[in-house]
Amino acid sequence: MVPGGVGKGSGCSEAAAMPGSGVGQAGRAGGGWREGREDHTVECGDDKGGEMKRTGAQIVWEMLSREGVEVVFGIPGGAIMHTYHPRQDYGVHHVLMRHEQAAAHAADGYARVSGNVGVAMATSGPGATNLVTGIATAMIDSVPMVCITGQVPTPLIGSDAFQETDITGVTLPITKHNYLVTDVDELAEVIHEAFYVAGTGRPGPVLIDLPKDVQQAETDFSPPDDRRELPGYRPREAGDPELVQQAADLVNSAERPVILAGHGVEMSGATDMLRTFVEKTNTPVALTLLAKGGFPESHPLTLGMMGMHGEAYVNRAIQEADLLLAFGMRFDDRVTGTLETFAPDAKKVHVDMDPAELNKIVPVDIALEGDLRRVLEQMLPLVNRDERVAWRDQVDCWRGETAIRDVLNRPANGRLLAPQVIDAIYRGTGGQAILVTDVGQHQMWAAQYYPLDLPYSLVTSGGLGTMGFGLPAAIGAQVADPEREVWAVVGDGGFQMTLQELATAVQEKLPIRIAVCNNGYLGMVRQWQEFFYEQRYEATNLLNPDFVKLAEAYGVGGWRVTRPDEAEEAVAAARAHDGPALVEFQVAQEGEEGNVYPMVPAGAALHEMIRRPEVAAETV
Ligand SMILES: Cc1cc2nc3c(=O)[nH]c(=O)nc-3n(C[C@H](O)[C@H](O)[C@H](O)COP(=O)(O)OP(=O)(O)OC[C@H]3O[C@@H](n4cnc5c(N)ncnc54)[C@H](O)[C@@H]3O)c2cc1C
Ligand SMILES: Cc1ncc(C[n+]2csc(CCOP(=O)(O)OP(=O)(O)O)c2C)c(N)n1
Ligand SMILES: [Mg+2]
């Protein structure tokens, strides 16, 4: 039965909401959290006059529909079954994952691509604790997500009841906010508030724990008012005009400015505004890993990725800059090298939505709290047009030297190198794919060898570095955008942490392409052992299954590549395959061909990089 008189989304048939394999790209088309930053208008209160009897379970789906949710990733169980029961009446699709960690990663991947808040659902106890890694992953990368967990009935809370875990206690430090709902009359308001908190300000995950008796209880439902005022929660949009003026003055007097663009560029929807700013001021742009796509990498003023595995010339430009403009990035230690030696001559301006990030790691001259897009809007009329010819020439000169070290320019010797794999995918897809990665060496090669021009196209676990993220996040990405090609680049180690999700991809008919970079090692750890632990490969050698047979067992198309000249054809075959496809690339295992370069060793300054070909600390 479809309950009458409910708001947007309810009453849609399942088939209409889910053509084929995925739901539509609702976020960018229809008011996701990025666009909604200044205009958070959920259609609440439209039928305020008509109160309706609803159970807690029905209120969950009614409210999800009202928040524009089209898909939920999860696994049912005893304490959440009651909530699952009425789902079909509300036209919200459910993707049945094979592990709750994967459900959280899928919701995360969905959010990063769609611009909507991702939703994951799990039962109490082990279901809820399995979500934890995915919640922590989303928290540190500022991804908006709502997780709904079942809980034992309220009278049993605290009694060590079957499958009882204090999940609000467990997730307190890894959620932006969480709720234990003990009164069904508060449920609608809590859900509405949860979406508001997850998607506004600095986005992040919110958890709602729902005892079974609250799911079962009935109440008069009326949609909550649109909520913008929460005590103690007032994300600031515009920057302080005086500080904006001071920042513009610094830009106008700088000779060697560099923009440090971060994930906040995409989160604030500032990509176009940033481009206007860059082209007016002719400021080179260095990108964090999570900023890839936030500024087109083909743009002549793009430097590329900064930091531990950034190119030497990018780090050099940062070190020699006289002004750093940190836009929506948080000075992660993978980015700065040792803090004492970080950009010693540069004045520093930091724009960030979260005041807690300002002056947290790097002391700055101007700390500007606000939404980046708004602050850039304010700053744009105040900065002068400047060609900065000398500085741009200097940076381009440093850049030129890199090409001669590029592994793609080396004479072929028949061995397959991971950068060649990424390059084959790049060429095969024309750079238009959504690139999802797992964590390790392959992640860094993906970042280095798949330049992105389109925003919201890289899905990767940056801050937590969660192995096992890649495949489930690719599922979420493909659900978010069924039209675009999705490639998951994973390592042989991380893939084996969540590969059961191949079954989910098959069941949902999601045509994701999976490139397994098989180097027979926990490669990134092995690389550190090679460089810094006397080449003692302790607990990093992997005896792997036959990945092609494994793919076949799941009903996934499978190919194996061992030589560079086979890569292009295999990528083409995977792209042409109808349904999920997996290519196992057996890549170089160690030594110069199996290591990620350049690399800033831990404890070194940003410009003290280990560079190809010598494995020796070298000052650029
Ligand atoms: C193996 C491995 C190696 C890595 N190597 C590198 C490397 O070499 N180089 C590198 O860059 N990274 C690297 N990383 C990633 C790194 O750990 C961090 O995740 C990354 O640098 C963080 O980028 P960020 O600060 O742009 O994004 P986040 O950590 O997502 O921070 C975004 C910032 O933007 C702010 N913000 C959000 N919304 C807005 C808004 N609307 N307006 C203004 N501000 C906003 C947030 O408050 C936050 O401070 C690596 C990760 C792994 C796993
Ligand atoms: C869940 C988790 N456990 C351990 C680590 C530490 N770690 C970082 S990279 C890495 C190796 C990854 O190996 P693989 O997936 O094969 O990728 P490769 O580096 O070989 O490309 C490990 C173990 C981690 N990041 N996440
Ligand atoms: Mg590996």
Side-chain angles (χ1 to χ4, degrees):
M1 188 193 89
V2 178
V6 294
K8 97 178 163 190
S10 56
C12 303
S13 76
E14 180 92 11
M18 280 297 300
S21 58
V23 296
Q25 195 189 355
R28 210 136 308 108
W33 52 274
R34 286 179 201 119
E35 289 79 359
R37 177 164 302 289
E38 291 156 82
D39 183 25
H40 182 81
T41 47
V42 172
E43 287 174 25
C44 287
D46 50 341
D47 47 4
K48 188 122 179 80
E51 288 188 344
M52 301 156 274
K53 282 279 182 213
R54 291 282 184 273
T55 63
Q58 287 174 318
I59 290 172
V60 169
W61 298 105
E62 180 127 7
M63 286 306 299
L64 292 182
S65 298
R66 287 171 180 274
E67 298 294 334
V69 173
E70 295 183 339
V71 62
V72 169
F73 303 88
I75 298 183
I80 194 74
M81 275 175 72
H82 206 83
T83 289
Y84 268 80
H85 184 62
R87 177 196 61 83
Q88 294 173 17
D89 301 334
Y90 289 86
V92 178
H93 182 64
H94 181 266
V95 176
L96 175 61
M97 306 298 292
R98 301 306 191 263
H99 192 295
E100 291 85 354
Q101 179 188 345
H105 292 328
D108 177 322
Y110 176 85
R112 295 193 205 216
V113 170
S114 70
N116 284 329
V117 176
V119 182
M121 196 171 271
T123 192
S124 63
T129 55
N130 274 352
L131 289 175
V132 165
T133 301
I135 295 173
T137 303
M139 181 70 178
I140 199 164
D141 286 351
S142 300
V143 178
M145 192 156 101
V146 169
C147 296
I148 300 174
T149 47
Q151 181 55 282
V152 302
T154 44
L156 299 187
I157 288 177
S159 72
D160 294 334
F162 177 62
Q163 295 194 324
E164 182 187 1
T165 298
D166 174 8
I167 198 64
T168 48
V170 169
T171 58
L172 190 67
I174 53 165
T175 47
K176 188 170 170 189
H177 197 51
N178 68 25
Y179 304 84
L180 170 64
V181 184
T182 54
D183 181 349
V184 71
D185 287 332
E186 292 170 3
L187 180 56
E189 184 68 41
V190 162
I191 294 174
H192 182 47
E193 199 173 288
F195 276 83
Y196 176 63
V197 171
T200 54
R202 178 181 186 169
V206 175
L207 182 132
I208 304 170
D209 200 22
L210 208 49
K212 193 169 176 177
D213 54 327
V214 177
Q215 301 169 42
Q216 288 167 324
E218 212 176 46
T219 187
D220 289 326
F221 169 76
S222 57
D225 292 329
D226 192 15
R227 177 174 273 280
R228 284 162 182 274
E229 292 291 314
L230 289 175
Y233 182 70
R234 276 192 199 81
R236 183 175 180 143
E237 299 289 339
D240 177 332
E242 217 166 282
L243 293 178
V244 172
Q245 180 63 61
Q246 287 174 24
D249 291 345
L250 285 182
V251 173
N252 292 337
S253 59
E255 289 176 2
R256 304 185 306 281
V258 172
I259 290 169
L260 307 179
H263 195 193
V265 174
E266 286 185 331
M267 285 192 272
S268 69
T271 51
D272 290 344
M273 192 63 65
L274 177 62
R275 189 177 181 137
T276 310
F277 181 92
V278 167
E279 290 176 352
K280 184 172 182 189
T281 59
N282 277 293
T283 307
V285 186
L287 306 166
T288 66
L289 173 67
L290 294 185
K292 267 182 72 81
F295 193 77
E297 289 190 72
S298 62
H299 194 286
L301 281 159
T302 305
L303 294 171
M305 189 169 80
M306 65 182 97
M308 179 175 273
H309 293 294
E311 285 301 337
Y313 67 86
V314 186
N315 290 343
R316 181 167 188 174
I318 292 169
Q319 289 297 74
E320 304 214 2
D322 65 357
L323 175 66
L324 290 182
L325 299 166
F327 287 164
M329 55 84 72
R330 60 178 178 82
F331 294 107
D332 185 276
D333 51 64
R334 288 283 180 275
V335 161
T336 57
T338 46
L339 289 171
E340 303 74 46
T341 52
F342 178 65
D345 300 332
K347 296 259 186 217
K348 298 176 184 86
V349 174
H350 190 184
V351 182
D352 203 289
M353 191 82 199
D354 183 354
E357 290 296 340
L358 300 169
N359 285 311
K360 183 179 96 175
I361 309 281
V362 172
V364 296
D365 299 276
I366 297 176
L368 251 164
E369 180 191 345
D371 174 49
L372 180 62
R373 184 171 60 180
R374 290 289 295 277
V375 173
L376 285 175
E377 257 167 23
Q378 291 172 285
M379 217 192 289
L380 208 53
L382 307 176
V383 292
N384 298 336
R385 193 165 290 284
D386 192 331
E387 294 306 320
R388 293 204 164 85
V389 178
W391 177 228
R392 290 182 60 180
D393 285 352
Q394 173 66 81
V395 171
D396 285 341
C397 171
W398 291 332
R399 190 200 304 256
E401 184 259 3
T402 295
I404 53 172
R405 292 176 184 261
D406 193 329
V407 63
L408 294 182
N409 296 333
R410 293 181 144 211
N413 61 10
R415 279 194 291 280
L416 180 64
L417 310 185
Q420 294 165 338
V421 171
I422 308 297
D423 187 53
I425 298 170
Y426 175 75
R427 284 184 287 107
T429 57
Q432 300 293 302
I434 294 174
L435 189 68
V436 186
T437 81
D438 212 84
V439 168
Q441 291 183 308
H442 62 280
Q443 178 188 26
M444 294 297 104
W445 282 312
Q448 292 175 341
Y449 288 93
Y450 201 106
L452 284 168
D453 278 352
L454 299 171
Y456 315 114
S457 298
L458 177 69
V459 179
T460 193
S461 167
L464 209 63
T466 305
M467 285 171 70
F469 176 82
L471 175 58
I475 287 173
Q478 187 74 84
V479 170
D481 196 341
E483 304 304 321
R484 276 181 75 189
E485 192 171 332
V486 173
W487 274 84
V489 177
V490 300
D492 45 338
F495 179 51
Q496 293 186 70
M497 291 193 180
T498 50
L499 67 76
Q500 76 282 347
E501 300 305 326
L502 288 174
T504 308
V506 172
Q507 187 165 351
E508 290 291 317
K509 300 187 178 63
L510 298 169
I512 52 178
R513 284 75 177 88
I514 303 151
V516 182
C517 291
N518 181 3
N519 53 11
Y521 280 105
L522 297 171
M524 185 55 95
V525 180
R526 187 213 55 73
Q527 174 169 340
W528 281 58
Q529 290 169 336
E530 183 180 329
F531 283 3
F532 313 118
Y533 290 84
E534 299 137 15
Q535 281 184 280
R536 185 184 285 209
Y537 295 161
E538 173 59 33
T540 43
N541 178 244
L542 295 169
L543 178 63
N544 286 324
D546 181 327
F547 287 111
V548 175
K549 279 193 183 156
L550 190 87
E552 283 164 6
Y554 276 99
V556 170
W559 291 264
R560 178 173 296 114
V561 171
T562 58
R563 295 199 333 245
D565 56 3
E566 298 166 345
E568 195 173 320
E569 206 177 312
V571 168
R575 297 187 72 221
H577 185 70
D578 186 17
L582 178 151
V583 187
E584 179 201 350
F585 295 94
Q586 293 187 349
V587 297
Q589 293 195 299
E590 58 177 325
E592 212 178 286
E593 294 180 338
N595 291 328
V596 181
Y597 297 94
M599 178 178 184
V600 181
L606 199 52
H607 58 284
E608 291 170 345
M609 305 198 80
I610 299 174
R611 298 193 63 191
R612 188 182 302 280
E614 300 91 358
V615 183
E618 176 189 328
T619 302
V620 296

